[in-house]
Structure formats: C-alpha cells, structure tokens
Amino acid sequence: MMPPQVGPPPLWEQPDEVPPPPRGPGVVAPFASPPRDRDLRGLWWGLGIGGLIVVLCCVGGVVGVSLLLPYADRVGKGQVAAVVEDYLTAVRDEDFTTARRQLCDDEQRTHSLGWFEDHFGTTPVTDFTVDADNVTISNAITVPARVREQTTWVEKQYVMEQAGTRYVICGGID
C-alpha cells in the first residue's frame, strides 16, 4: 500500500496540462513533424515507372480490342453461315426433319414436313454456296447464298435471329 501523499500533486498529474520537457543538458523537445528526405529521386523514379505501366496497359488494351473485334465478327459470321449451310445440306439430302430444326418457331409453324416435301420435291436443291464473308449484321442478320435448283442458280437471302443460345433461320425460306 502506498503512503498518503502530502502536498500538491506533481506537475504531470495536473488536468489539461502537458508535462514540461525534462531538465538537463542536450535534451531537445520532440519533433513537430517527422524529418523529410531531401533526395526526391526515388519518388520521381516510382512515379515515372507507375506512369509508364499505366500507359502500357492503356495501349495494350486498345491494341487488344482492335485485334479482337474483327476476329469476333468473323466468328459470328461463320456461325450464322454454318446454320444456313446445315439447312441447305439437309434440304439437298432430303432430310427435311433436320432442315426444319434450323428454322425459328414461327417458320416451323408455317412450314410443315409436308410443305418441305411438296416444295423441294418439285424443285430439289442440287448444289449451293454460302458466302460467310458477305453476311450482313445490322438490325437483322442476313446470309446470302446461291442455290442451284435443278439447273438454275438462284440468289437467296436468309434472315437469321437468335433463339436462346443458337441462331435460327427466320426468313427467306420461300
């Protein structure tokens, strides 16, 4: 147990006062702010390297997008052209069930298997070419094809649309 204190409280225990600095030779008050490194070379190197990295990332992004967009366009055109090729191959081989599966729901309702047999029974498809490079993608996707019906070549335009995750033919059947 501590003995009771007699006299005024010590200076450092007085409320709302900062204790005075200690007495003695060589004692200096604490810094108001930490010392500063006078050589800023490291800071400028860091900022320069950081800026260079940002510029390289931006340039790399622009170059990457400019290379990716034509590739994605070519892949998309190839996908819709493949649907038309599958359709015309099935019609040429008289596999009308497979040909009908390439159509959208509206076209399937209006073109039954009997319609395919009647229509392509009188003018069968003997050959065809699909031009994937001339596929038009705007408000509607249009795939041009040259279809040989018996001995005559006919230019056709198949209108495509997306049904879920696949493309289907929704125009140009007749």
Side-chain angles (χ1 to χ4, degrees):
M1 185 161 159
M2 293 188 73
Q5 257 189 349
V6 181
L11 292 175
W12 63 84
E13 290 183 7
Q14 289 180 356
D16 298 329
E17 286 191 26
V18 177
R23 294 186 190 135
V27 175
V28 180
F31 291 110
S33 64
R36 188 180 122 194
D37 183 14
R38 293 186 189 255
D39 186 14
L40 297 176
R41 190 177 351 184
L43 173 68
W44 288 113
W45 272 102
L47 288 174
I49 290 172
L52 180 65
I53 289 172
V54 168
V55 168
L56 287 176
C57 287
C58 291
V59 169
V62 168
V63 169
V65 167
S66 66
L67 292 177
L68 182 66
L69 286 178
Y71 174 74
D73 186 50
R74 189 172 43 238
V75 168
K77 287 179 177 183
Q79 286 178 343
V80 293
V83 173
V84 173
E85 286 176 357
D86 292 346
Y87 169 76
L88 291 172
T89 301
V91 168
R92 182 190 63 202
D93 298 343
E94 296 182 4
D95 183 6
F96 300 129
T97 305
T98 302
R100 196 166 175 265
R101 272 192 236 125
Q102 305 302 319
L103 304 179
C104 66
D105 292 339
D106 291 339
E107 292 292 325
Q108 284 186 16
R109 280 191 283 277
T110 58
H111 297 90
S112 65
L113 286 176
W115 179 88
F116 275 95
E117 291 169 358
D118 291 342
H119 185 73
F120 292 111
T122 57
T123 56
V125 172
T126 56
D127 197 10
F128 63 89
T129 59
V130 177
D131 189 7
D133 292 333
N134 289 330
V135 171
T136 306
I137 300 175
S138 58
N139 292 340
I141 302 170
T142 308
V143 179
R146 290 187 68 215
V147 179
R148 185 175 182 183
E149 297 174 346
Q150 293 177 342
T151 59
T152 307
W153 285 95
V154 179
E155 299 288 330
K156 295 203 173 212
Q157 299 286 328
Y158 293 96
V159 179
M160 309 291 291
E161 70 178 35
Q162 192 167 3
T165 58
R166 65 187 196 104
Y167 289 101
V168 290
I169 300 171
C170 208
I173 307 299
D174 299 329

